Amino acid sequence: MALPPRPPSPSRAPTRPPTTSSATTSHPAPVGLRLSLEVFFSGSLSDPGRRSISVVPGKSYLRILSGPLVGGVLVLEDRRVFYLGSSQECALTLPDRSLEPRHACIRRDDTAWKIVDLSRARVLRVNDIPTDERLLVGGEILRLGETEVQFTFRRPRGARDSSSDSSPYLEVVDGLAEDIGRRIELKPGMGFTIGRSVQAELPLLDCKASRRHCQVTVDEAGAITITDLRSLNGTRLNGLETTEAVIHEGDEISIGRSLLCCRAREFTSIGA
């Protein structure tokens, strides 16, 4: 007996094996990770030519963990370059003979903070690793000679004003890249010259500055006076040409193409 023919089965669309392409399922990175990535890349990962949105804090802190200045906190703000070394021109002056005048610097741009070793011996260590240049994201331990400091974006707890290191100072904030960051403390009873001469206490490479451009004096009461020394291009205080004037905190001095600012150092010590 013959069997009846089997009815035709309904047609089915051909099935495809599951794919693992990242285009099928999207797993967005956590917000904190995305922000951290923005610190490291100045452009988008998908479009390297597009500049990323800046999320870098404008203020950071150096907390001194060891060495002669242990317990101190230095605030880093209002500038792009902060020098660390044995020179009085540095943002952080360390009394360590093994350090060079400008031993290292911390730089800030629109997308990142970084530290750069400027020493000839290349002895800067970050998290105990010899480093020539490194991006800083907060929490790193920097070692310069006998001193260890921590770079952080969080103000250390217990920080208080320290009257022992509150001297105002003059600093080059604009002009030639080689001059920016040069500074000198303004202490009672001192006097010094600014200009292109190598004998000037605050020397400038600015070709528009005279060799002995101006003189700054600080009397015993702390009053600061600037005097133009018959310079070719003159001295300006807050945009106005002057031959002699008293300087106050926040004043800006124009010498050639250079701009100097009178500031009070924000350096604190940690209370017990």
Side-chain angles (χ1 to χ4, degrees):
M1 180 176 175
L3 295 176
R6 178 180 296 178
S9 59
S11 61
R12 295 182 179 179
T15 59
R16 296 181 180 178
T19 62
T20 59
S21 171
S22 59
T24 303
T25 305
S26 176
H27 297 284
V31 173
L33 178 58
R34 293 202 305 272
L35 293 181
S36 297
L37 288 174
E38 289 289 350
V39 173
F40 287 98
F41 296 97
S42 61
S44 168
L45 292 177
S46 60
D47 182 5
R50 182 172 63 85
R51 192 172 183 83
S52 64
I53 299 174
S54 173
V55 294
V56 178
K59 176 188 287 190
S60 64
Y61 303 88
L62 286 182
R63 181 182 181 186
I64 303 177
L65 305 178
S66 66
L69 301 180
V70 61
V73 176
L74 180 67
V75 182
L76 306 179
E77 64 175 341
D78 297 335
R79 281 185 286 138
R80 296 286 184 171
V81 183
F82 304 86
Y83 290 101
L84 317 175
S86 59
S87 171
Q88 289 293 327
E89 297 177 355
C90 293
L92 178 59
T93 302
L94 299 171
D96 186 340
R97 292 183 179 179
S98 68
L99 299 182
E100 296 183 25
R102 290 188 176 185
H103 198 84
C105 72
I106 293 177
R107 300 180 183 273
R108 176 178 65 88
D109 59 25
D110 293 336
T111 59
W113 288 79
K114 69 174 65 174
I115 186 164
V116 180
D117 188 359
L118 303 178
S119 66
R120 291 181 293 247
R122 298 298 183 191
V123 293
L124 173 68
R125 301 178 76 89
V126 179
N127 294 337
D128 208 28
I129 299 174
T131 303
D132 288 336
E133 182 174 323
R134 174 168 171 159
L135 292 171
L136 300 173
V137 296
E140 292 85 358
I141 305 298
L142 319 176
R143 184 167 188 86
L144 302 94
E146 301 175 355
T147 301
E148 282 191 341
V149 300
Q150 182 183 38
F151 177 86
T152 178
F153 294 117
R154 296 184 177 181
R155 183 178 180 87
R157 293 182 179 179
R160 58 181 174 82
D161 291 338
S162 173
S163 59
S164 62
D165 195 15
S166 58
S167 300
Y169 60 90
L170 272 182
E171 180 178 20
V172 182
V173 297
D174 197 7
L176 294 180
E178 296 86 348
D179 289 336
I180 294 177
R182 293 184 184 273
R183 61 163 59 186
I184 189 167
E185 290 191 23
L186 303 173
K187 296 183 178 181
M190 72 179 299
F192 60 91
T193 58
I194 304 174
R196 284 191 297 107
S197 172
V198 293
Q199 279 78 37
E201 286 79 3
L202 185 54
L204 299 174
L205 297 177
D206 187 345
C207 64
K208 295 294 184 180
S210 298
R211 293 180 58 81
R212 297 181 72 252
H213 196 100
C214 60
Q215 182 175 10
V216 176
T217 56
V218 187
D219 66 19
E220 294 299 332
I224 308 165
T225 303
I226 186 168
T227 304
D228 183 76
L229 300 177
R230 297 183 179 180
S231 63
L232 180 62
N233 294 311
T235 301
R236 293 180 176 272
L237 178 63
N238 298 326
L240 301 176
E241 189 165 353
T242 184
T243 55
E244 184 173 294
V246 176
I247 303 175
H248 302 91
E249 181 182 344
D251 284 347
E252 294 183 339
I253 302 165
S254 298
I255 297 175
R257 296 174 178 172
S258 304
L259 181 66
L260 293 80
C261 186
C262 179
R263 291 172 169 166
R265 174 176 294 183
E266 189 174 349
F267 187 83
T268 64
S269 60
I270 299 297

